[in-house]
Amino acid sequence: MPGLIRDTLARAVDDLCHDRQPTAVLSGGIDSSSVAALAVRCGAQLTTVSMGTELGDEFDQARLVADHLGTNHRELRTSSTDILALPK
């Protein structure tokens, strides 16, 4: 089963990266790091973005993964008030 999941995810990421310059939200966790690694593996010029608020962020973890993968990485900080004010 793990091989099937890995292969399916790799195909999905490859389909999204084909002839594109994708952007991925990167937290530094296993899910976003796996997707970012698969995108880089398929040859994409990947931009990664991590987001945080005054309440917390995962910038250090995301930066570690982005540096390892060689992505064009950006860090965005916004207020939690602005996030909560977004329309549903």
Side-chain angles (χ1 to χ4, degrees):
M1 185 64 114
L4 176 62
I5 294 169
R6 182 191 62 238
D7 294 345
T8 302
L9 181 58
R11 279 194 307 276
V13 170
D14 190 49
D15 287 347
L16 292 172
C17 291
H18 187 68
D19 294 330
R20 297 185 190 176
Q21 293 180 344
T23 299
V25 176
L26 182 61
S27 69
I30 189 71
D31 296 337
S32 64
S33 298
S34 297
V35 170
L38 289 167
V40 168
R41 187 179 84 172
C42 77
Q45 182 65 32
L46 183 65
T47 296
T48 52
V49 178
S50 57
M51 295 177 277
T53 71
E54 73 283 358
L55 301 175
D57 62 62
E58 298 170 314
F59 290 154
D60 291 342
Q61 299 89 331
R63 194 178 310 118
L64 180 68
V65 174
D67 288 347
H68 178 74
L69 296 175
T71 69
N72 178 20
H73 188 66
R74 301 285 186 260
E75 296 173 351
L76 305 173
R77 185 176 298 277
T78 189
S79 74
S80 57
T81 303
D82 288 343
I83 292 172
L84 293 173
L86 291 171
K88 294 181 181 185

